[in-house]
Structures are given as C-alpha cells and as structure tokens.
Amino acid sequence: MVRHYTRLSQRNFAIDTHFYPLGSCTMKYNPRAAHVAALLPGFANRHPLAPESTGQGLMACLFELQEILKDVTGMRAVSLTPMAGAQGEFAGVAMIRAYHVARNDLERDELLIPKAAHGTNPATAAMCGYRVREIDVRADGDIDLAALDAAIGPRTAGLMLTNPSTLGVFDRHIEDIAQRVHAVGGLLYYDGANLNAILGQVKPGDMGLDVVHLNLHKTFATPHGGGGPGAGPVGVGERLLPFLPVPMVGESGGRYYWITEKTRPQSIGRLSTFAGNVGVLLRAYVYARLVGREGMARIAQYAALNANYLLERLSRLGFEPAYPGRRAAHEFLLTLKGLKERSGVSALDVAKRLLDKGYHAPTIYFPLMVPECLLIEPTETESRDEIDGFVAAMAEILAEAETTPELLKAAPHTLPVRRVDEVRAARELDLAWRAHPATA
Amino acid sequence: MPFTPHTAAETAAMLETIGARSLDDLFDEIPARLRSGPLAGVPQALTEQEIGRLMRERAAADGEFLTFVGAGAYEHHIPAAVWEIAGRGEFYTAYTPYQAEASQGTLQLLYEFQTMIASLVGLDCANASLYDGASALAEAVLMAVRLHGRSRRVLIPETVHPLYRKVVQTIVSAQSITLDLVPMDAAGITDAGALALRLEGAAGLVIPQPNFLGCLEDVHAMAAAARAAGVLAIGLVNPIACALIVPPGEWGPGCDIAVGEGQPLGAPLSSGGPYFGFMACRREHVRQMPGRIVGRTVDVAGHEAYTLTLQAREQHIRRSRATSNICTNQGLLVTAATVHMALLGPEGLRRVAAAAHANTAALRARLTAIPGVRAAFPDTPFFHEVVLRLPVPVPEVLRALEAQGILGGCALGEFYPAFTDSLLVCATETKTETDIAHYAYHLERIVTRRRLDPPCAYKDDNPRSP
Ligand SMILES: Cc1ncc(COP(=O)(O)O)c(C=O)c1O
C-alpha cells in the first residue's frame, strides 16, 4: 500500500520537484518549519470544542496572525475563518450585501466585475444573489473608465477588483475607480489572490478598498496539497466591521477568547463548523514570523524582479506580451495568437511541450478574453538559474514550433502518460472504479 | 528570511536586463502617494530555531487531554504511514491537477477516493471534496434546490448539528432559500408527524445518520416519505458509521445526495480544521454536483489516464452560472483519507466503527451507574455518541473534569434550551477500559461532591478505583 501511493506521488510535478510558474497561483517554496509546527501534538490533537482555557497558545498565534494581516492589508479587522479564496470572496460579498440591507438600501442588485476577473468572482456574486455586470478592460490592461461610468449607478452594490489584475498589471487608476464606486454608494471588494505582488509596497486599504480577501495558500506559502486546503481570511474597513464572519479571536488583559455571534449580532455568521482551516492558519503564522517585517517587502520586490526579468527575456526571444510596455507585476501574460497563426501551434501545445522539458506549464487560456494566452508567475523563491533554464526551454519550443510543429501538437512525449483525452472523459463518464462495469 | 535565493550580483544583472535602476523602479506604475512605509504591525523576523521554540512552548501550554468530546470531530487513531505519505513533497506541494499529464499521481488518487466514498455511502459518484461537513451540507441544499427547480424550501431536522445549521443558513440565505426546521420527538429523533406535515412542496430533506445527539433516525421511512412527496433526500452521514450501518444509498428507495464530514478518515482534530467535506450522488444528478470531479479516460496512445472532468459545471468555465464558486478544495486531506481508507480497508473501518461504538456503550453503562446520571434517550439506538443528563450543573462538571485532564463532553445547553442539564459524550476506539474507568471515577466523585484528599484540583494520574 505504501509503495502504491509512493509511486503515485512520483507521477506528479510539484514545487519540491519542478519549477511551477502557474500564473495566479503563487507556487512558491513551502517552508517545512511551518508544517512541523502545525503538527505539534498540542495543536494537532486539540479538539475544536475544547475550552478557551486549553487553547491559549493556539489563540495567541491566531490573534497575532489577525494583527499581521491587518497591517499587510491596511484594514481595520480580519476574520480568519474562510477556508479558501472563494469562501473569502463569499464572506466579502455577503458583508457588502449585509451592509446595504442594514441601511435599508434594498435596490442594489448588481455587482460590477471586470472581464478579466477570476471565475470565482462572478460565481460568488451569483451565490450571494447578485446579477453580474462585466466591465471591459482597455487595450493597455487597465479598466475602461468609460465602461465603468456607463455601468455604474443606483443598482450598484459594489465592484470586485483584483489589483494587480489577472492580466499581470497594476491598474493605475485605482483611486479614480474607488472614488466612482463610492460616489454612487457602492463598496469595493479586493480579490487579494495577487497580494504577493504588492506585499509591503502598497496596502489595499490605502487604495480605498472596503473589503479584502487573501489567499494564504498563495501569498503566505502554505502548501497547495494537490488542490487544497487553503485559507481565505477577510479584512474590512470601518463600514463592514459589524458584519465580519465568526468566530474571530479577541484579546483582553493577556487572555484570548472567541468572538462569536453572541457579541456580533450583525455578523454574516459562520462559514465552517468550527473555526476554519486552523492548521493552515498556523502554517501561515509561522511563515509570517520567519519572513518578518523587512522580509515582507522583499517578497514583492523579488517576485516583481523575477517576473519582469522573465518577461524581458521571453520578449527578446520573440514571444508577444499581451500588454506590451507595461511593467509586469508578479506575473505577466503572453499571447501566442501570432504563433498559432504562423505554425498552428497553440498555447496548449506549448504548455504540454514544457512538461517534456521538465517545467510545469504556466496557466493557459485564462483570462478567457486574451486569445492563446500563457499567464506566467515565477515567484520570488526561484533563482536566476532556474528562470534561465525555463527561458532556454521556451527558446527550444519556439524553434520546434517553426521546424517540427507536429512534435508539439503531440506533446507530451516523456511523461507517464501521453496527451490525455479529455473529451472522452466527459463523454464516457467513468468516475468510480467498479469490479463489474455497469452495463448502463 | 523571505526565501529569496538571489545574490546581489544576480539581482544587479537582472535589473540591468530589465532596464531598471533599482528594485523600487519595478513599482513605478503604482501611484507614489499610495506606497506604504514599513509594516509596523509585522514583527521582526525570527529564525527557524526561534519560531520552533515559540511554537513548541505554545503547543505545550495547550496541553494534552483525555478527550470524550465528539460533536462533529472525532479522535481516531491515524496510522503513521498516512501523513508520511500525504506529507511527501510530490503531494504536499502540487497545485490542483490542471495539467493532467503532470498530475497523474494526484488524479489517480482522487479517482480512488471518489470510488471509496461512492462505495462507502452506496451511491454512484462522488466529487473530489468540499471544504468541510457543514459547507458540504450547504452545497447539498443548493444542489437539491437546483435539481428540484420549483421549490426553495428545504427541511432540516433539529437533530442536525446546530453549527451545521448555522453554516447552511449563512451560505444559502442570500439566495432566498428557506430552511424549515423539523422538531425532534422525545426519543431524540426527528418527529415523524411534524415531518409529514411539512414535506409537501419542499425541495429537499436533510436526513442525519447518526444525528447530532448520536441517535439513529428512522432513515428508511424518512427517505421513502421524501421520495413519495417528490422531495430530494440528502443523507448527512459519519463516514465511519457507514462502514457499519446501512449507507444512504440504501435507505428506503435510496438518497439522492449524501454528504458528510471527512475528518474521521485520517484528519487530526487540529482545533477544527483543515478537514474535508465529501459529497456523492446518483449518476443522473452529477451535472448539478459542485466541485472538482476526476474521470478515468485514455491518452492518445490508448493507455489508461485520469483527468479533471465535467468542468463545464465549474466557475472557471461557467462563471456566474456555475454550480458553485468553489475552486481550491481540501486536496491534501483527501490524500490522507485515501491512504487511510486503503490501509484500513472495509474490514478495518468496520472494526474501528464497532470498537468506537462498543466503547461508547461501555462508557454509557459506567456513567449511568452513577447516582443521578441517566441516559437522555435510553431506548433509542445510537452510534458511538450519547446524551447524558446530569444531576449537577454541566459547566461545573466540565470544569472539574478539565482540572483532572479530562474533556468530559459537549454541553448541550448552548444549542438546545431543553437540554441545559445534558452532556453529549463519545468514546472512540482510542479510549481504553482504564480511560473509561478514570472518567467514571472522577464524574462520580464530582456529582456526588466527594472530594479527593488533598482537596485541591491537581492532575490525578493514578486514580484509585471507585
Ligand atoms: C485571482 C484569483 N481569485 C480567486 C481565486 C480563488 O481562490 P481559491 O482557489 O482559494 O478559492 C484564485 C485562485 O484560484 C485566483 O487566482
């Protein structure tokens, strides 16, 4: 049994084994000190309903993490309970809704979301009962202010914004945007999945945002575990304070206690049975303490350095940036539209060929609005050598695209399996093994 | 220590390639007035040795207790191999398996997981996890409403975990879905008469087994009544119990959806998380299921291969019309659970369930022999958890037990006003006869107000037998 699962593990790419520049995912080194700390018996064996008196050590860590995240985001208070980014978004939008309802402002039924936004943004808006209005993005990657003006109005509950956006650029008109949304009585939501780009450089609170979620499984180096668990804490400004999800940790005279719905009657409520993904929060706390005050700013600097260096090197090879002339944030977007037209080689083919060369592929076909795109995020924990190796692989692939495009279209060739038939997977559903296949 | 490997020379050379004078230049598109100063609220960095020491001190301060609390999170033995394997970098540090060819390990494991969950609950297909039991129940409620199409009212028994009910309320309320509470009867299970009155026109019925109070519901009748009324049946189950008692796929005509908390399958208690929620359903409902689903298929050479499938349900494709906003789930916990289930096998799971149940039965017998302590539902069948009524105030008892290193149970008063004198207790297979005797000894001493000599609250590791 152990051998079976060990061998399965060897059929994976992972940060520990491969450069993994998956855009929007911040695949950085996951320090093992954090893992060891979270599994200490006093933490790992503690029952969630054990009394506060038996959780003072744990709650000290959670309280301090709340304080650290408050400073990093520039918000007034933070709740750690959301279990992933999407649940943080849910909490944030539910708070926006609760705020309007509390003011008896009931006509607002629309959320504005830029076209480039991550799919969880519109999906969350719908879960919270809002209609989604998409806002166009200009050719330079910034939000189209004219389109914003045309969409905004008395029905606007708020705007969900990612900055730097998922196009890999920082929206330079953020203050204008905030001003316009606030002018009509809407609130601003900040999707903090890209916080790695601006850690210690600029705070969402200073940009005028009212509510923020973070992805600790990205920015705070907790492992992604092949699909989770994550943690998506939410931070809020003054207006949304009463609505934060519970539980949170409070402190009084050196004692820590749970803040619950009893003292927060306007809270949007609970999002998990107990207190969220505590073990992930402990890992993020250890990471934050290891990195420290100066280290935080260094993270964004080196994430930006690696991204801009890689963008420059790839541009010189002839790859086409989707937003030329713009600084990369911690990631950047290439479009292979030209390559596809010339050689028939698609973003998918390039991604699969990268696997053959020992690199995990970047994010592909996201954002949906940019054709044949690769979203590339090297993160700060990669060395120049590693990035240079990736550049060399991309150069080889470019040459292959011109000379032997069929090689790319059939890639990968060296992995445990060849290209997987996803169409068949969806058409002939086989979702569970059966000793005697059903004859249905 | 920000884990940046660059030397000063490399940094300079890279800046030169970019054509930037300094690292600060890289932020020149951010309006200068927005730039922040030092992060005063973030402490100075600690070394790995220093943070290790701090965390050990804090963990030690939280102590280790003999735990008889269940109430949704259960202490089970986890074989050492489980987290050794789940902690391997190849699983621990991989992302969601978007690139199938580079993620066959995770994908095959998830397919195995789906197979195990589907067979455990007796339904056709399972997804690759949701966040936890409570949020999985919320997703099941939303799914039932979508499948039903005409009603936005879902029946939830009062015997469902009270914290689950709160979470479901938080998550579904924005979509104007009504949760209709079905009261319990004197036997600690859902009142059949009250249920019958509410069924017509509902979209779904949640059927907990065992319920929060440890009692076994009349699940066959409930599932049959739901089916007859055109209401979707949602089984809410403990996966360990499924190894021993009839699974939701076989309740009456069978449930439509089954969900539950996966924590008992290899996740440490960890103050409440990370755990994972699981969800399974009948084949015809699969296109309304939220979350990742892995399918088995072939590669271009015809060899067996695995991939994420039915992605057109999900947020990255369907956006505001997706079945859910969930993206990241609880992958690593699922890895642990798959290894855990594979190591135990069906027989091992059954033995765990039987041992936990036997221990709780023994605990109930010992504790109800104490004068004034009685079972709240003496005639109702139960699984590995029971409610006891105490003759002295529950908070006092719990405090006194805590002083002896025992977490005595979950006080029910906070959740059920009629049960302020009640304690929900659980003894899993991790408890020995001595542990149970130890608990009984101290509880008897406390309720009969006998005192140890010396009469101070110190940790008594060596109880004389009562
Ligand atoms: C920009 C953005 N927003 C939101 C999310 C959702 O986060 P999660 O997967 O943790 O739910 C992601 C990542 O997947 C993201 O990249």
Side-chain angles (χ1 to χ4, degrees), chain B residues 252-271:
Chain B
C255 281
D256 295 282
I257 306 169
V259 290
E261 172 58 73
Q263 177 275 329
L265 300 171
L269 289 171
S270 197
S271 287

Side-chain angles (χ1 to χ4, degrees), chain B residues 102-304:
Chain B
S103 316
Q104 286 296 300
T106 292
L107 286 163
Q108 183 177 333
L109 181 139
L110 291 174
Y111 178 84
E112 292 182 9
F113 169 78
Q114 291 173 186
T115 301
M116 292 178 194
I117 291 293
S119 81
L120 200 56
V121 302
L123 287 168
D124 301 320
C125 26
N127 72 8
S129 81
L130 298 164
Y131 301 130
D132 72 350
S135 63
L137 180 61
E139 290 280 13
V141 166
L142 294 173
M143 181 173 163
V145 167
R146 285 194 302 273
L147 283 167
H148 190 275
R150 294 179 308 284
S151 166
R152 303 186 80 75
R153 184 169 60 91
V154 173
L155 304 174
I156 291 210
E158 196 185 1
T159 59
V160 167
H161 198 309
L163 295 173
Y164 280 36
R165 285 189 268 126
K166 288 189 181 188
V167 172
V168 175
Q169 180 67 37
T170 306
I171 294 176
V172 310
S173 60
Q175 297 186 48
S176 56
I177 289 167
T178 312
L179 298 174
D180 194 353
L181 197 68
V182 189
M184 69 170 119
D185 65 15
I189 60 173
T190 302
D191 187 311
L195 174 61
L197 290 176
R198 288 169 171 78
L199 267 172
E200 201 185 312
L205 165 66
V206 178
I207 309 176
Q209 186 76 329
N211 70 26
F212 177 66
L213 306 169
C215 297
L216 296 182
E217 299 269 357
D218 189 357
V219 292
H220 296 291
M222 291 172 86
R227 175 64 61 87
V231 174
L232 284 107
I234 303 167
L236 172 64
V237 291
N238 176 325
I240 297 282
C242 284
L244 198 63
I245 58 185
V246 183
E250 297 167 25
W251 298 349
C255 281
D256 295 282
I257 306 169
V259 290
E261 172 58 73
Q263 177 275 329
L265 300 171
L269 289 171
S270 197
S271 287
Y275 300 165
F276 68 94
F278 59 86
M279 176 183 272
C281 70
R282 293 170 176 279
R283 177 170 279 265
E284 63 263 33
H285 299 329
V286 70
R287 285 189 161 72
Q288 285 300 337
M289 192 143 71
R292 312 278 186 207
I293 299 176
V294 173
R296 183 165 63 159
T297 178
V298 293
D299 68 6
V300 289
H303 295 123
E304 178 174 282

Side-chain angles (χ1 to χ4, degrees), chain A residues 23-25 83-89 116-121 162 164-166 191-194 213-218 224 230-232 331 366 375, chain B residues 95-96 98 131 292 315 325-329:
Chain A
S24 204
C25 299
M83 292 178 283
Q87 219 192 24
E89 291 174 37
H118 193 264
T120 50
N121 290 191
T162 311
S165 71
T166 47
D191 178 333
N194 290 346
H213 94 262
L214 304 184
N215 277 9
L216 299 185
H217 44 306
K218 297 178 179 175
H224 208 280
E331 63 188 358
F366 170 75
L375 184 61
Chain B
Y95 204 78
T96 301
Y98 292 139
Y131 301 130
R292 312 278 186 207
Q315 44 75 29
N325 68 345
I326 192 167
C327 179
T328 294
N329 55 33

Side-chain angles (χ1 to χ4, degrees), chain A residues 254-436:
Chain A
R255 298 293 293 172
Y256 299 96
Y257 59 93
W258 292 113
I259 298 170
T260 68
E261 50 278 77
K262 290 204 186 87
T263 51
R264 296 285 175 125
Q266 286 186 287
S267 163
I268 58 160
R270 287 177 188 263
L271 297 164
S272 71
T273 316
F274 300 109
N277 283 338
V278 175
V280 178
L281 300 170
L282 283 174
R283 286 173 176 83
Y285 172 72
V286 170
Y287 176 75
R289 297 299 309 265
L290 281 169
V291 166
R293 184 179 302 161
E294 280 84 30
M296 291 278 171
R298 193 175 155 100
I299 287 171
Q301 287 174 336
Y302 283 80
L305 177 71
N306 279 353
N308 282 284
Y309 173 75
L310 182 52
L311 171 60
E312 180 60 29
R313 294 283 320 269
L314 293 176
S315 304
R316 288 187 195 175
L317 289 179
F319 284 100
E320 192 186 330
Y323 297 98
R326 295 295 307 266
R327 278 276 184 233
H330 64 316
E331 63 188 358
F332 58 91
L333 199 59
L334 298 181
T335 171
L336 305 187
K337 193 161 163 270
L339 183 71
K340 175 102 189 263
E341 281 159 10
R342 280 201 311 281
S343 64
V345 166
S346 67
L348 182 72
D349 300 330
V350 170
K352 299 302 182 196
R353 189 64 180 146
L354 271 169
L355 305 178
D356 273 337
K357 298 188 184 288
Y359 295 95
H360 194 280
T363 297
I364 50 176
Y365 301 108
F366 170 75
L368 298 166
M369 51 186 275
V370 179
E372 298 299 327
C373 63
L374 302 178
L375 184 61
I376 306 179
E377 179 181 8
T379 85
E380 75 281 6
T381 63
E382 298 299 331
S383 66
R384 187 182 66 171
D385 282 353
E386 192 74 61
I387 293 172
D388 287 345
F390 180 77
V391 171
M394 289 290 276
E396 286 169 22
I397 290 173
L398 202 55
E400 289 169 354
E402 310 292 346
T403 55
T404 48
E406 56 295 343
L407 188 69
L408 274 62
K409 287 177 196 162
H413 303 275
T414 61
L415 271 78
V417 294
R418 303 275 304 280
R419 200 174 291 191
V420 174
D421 188 348
E422 297 188 358
V423 175
R424 172 172 155 151
R427 213 169 31 213
E428 298 171 33
L429 281 185
D430 174 358
L431 309 179
W433 186 84
R434 276 184 187 76
H436 310 288

Side-chain angles (χ1 to χ4, degrees), chain A residues 103-275:
Chain A
R103 291 159 47 95
N104 210 22
D105 185 352
L106 306 174
E107 299 305 308
R108 299 178 187 274
D109 61 351
E110 290 180 354
L111 271 188
L112 310 181
I113 300 181
K115 271 223 173 83
H118 193 264
T120 50
N121 290 191
T124 298
M127 274 185 92
C128 291
Y130 283 115
R131 276 177 12 118
V132 173
R133 276 192 82 151
E134 289 205 327
I135 307 296
D136 276 324
V137 175
R138 294 192 320 212
D140 64 3
D142 288 345
I143 284 178
D144 185 338
L145 291 178
L148 177 63
D149 285 338
I152 209 163
R155 296 177 68 176
T156 304
L159 170 75
M160 293 182 87
L161 188 85
T162 311
N163 201 19
S165 71
T166 47
L167 304 173
V169 296
F170 188 91
D171 199 306
R172 294 163 292 193
H173 309 294
I174 176 66
E175 293 162 293
D176 281 344
I177 295 168
Q179 189 272 322
R180 285 166 206 228
V181 174
H182 285 149
V184 299
L187 296 183
L188 267 105
Y189 184 92
Y190 182 86
D191 178 333
N194 290 346
L195 196 78
N196 214 50
I198 57 166
L199 211 50
Q201 306 295 331
V202 52
K203 301 180 182 183
D206 294 342
M207 296 187 229
L209 279 298
D210 299 291
V211 48
V212 176
H213 94 262
L214 304 184
N215 277 9
L216 299 185
H217 44 306
K218 297 178 179 175
T219 315
F220 282 72
T222 70
H224 208 280
V234 273
V236 296
E238 192 68 35
R239 288 190 275 190
L240 294 181
L241 279 175
F243 307 108
L244 277 166
V246 290
M248 296 189 285
V249 180
E251 186 262 355
S252 159
R255 298 293 293 172
Y256 299 96
Y257 59 93
W258 292 113
I259 298 170
T260 68
E261 50 278 77
K262 290 204 186 87
T263 51
R264 296 285 175 125
Q266 286 186 287
S267 163
I268 58 160
R270 287 177 188 263
L271 297 164
S272 71
T273 316
F274 300 109

Side-chain angles (χ1 to χ4, degrees), chain B residues 348-374:
Chain B
L349 283 174
R350 219 168 2 252
R351 289 211 323 256
V352 169
H357 184 65
N359 272 348
T360 299
L363 180 70
R364 179 168 96 154
R366 288 296 288 265
L367 299 186
T368 52
I370 298 168
V373 177
R374 55 196 179 83

Side-chain angles (χ1 to χ4, degrees), chain A residues 4-5 12-13 44 46 53 57 64 71 175 201 226-227 290 293-294 298 306 316 326 352 418 430, chain B residues 1 4 6 29 33 35-36 41 44 58 62 94 99 101-102 106 111-112 270-271 296 299 329 402:
Chain A
H4 170 70
Y5 288 108
N12 268 1
F13 280 27
R46 184 174 178 277
S53 54
E64 289 169 19
D71 190 29
E175 293 162 293
Q201 306 295 331
L290 281 169
R293 184 179 302 161
E294 280 84 30
R298 193 175 155 100
N306 279 353
R316 288 187 195 175
R326 295 295 307 266
K352 299 302 182 196
R418 303 275 304 280
D430 174 358
Chain B
M1 187 172 29
T4 46
H6 309 66
E29 291 191 357
R33 62 192 163 277
R35 296 290 299 279
S36 46
Q44 295 292 348
R58 286 182 173 176
D62 288 354
Q99 289 293 336
E101 298 83 358
T106 292
Y111 178 84
E112 292 182 9
S270 197
S271 287
R296 183 165 63 159
D299 68 6
N329 55 33
E402 187 190 326

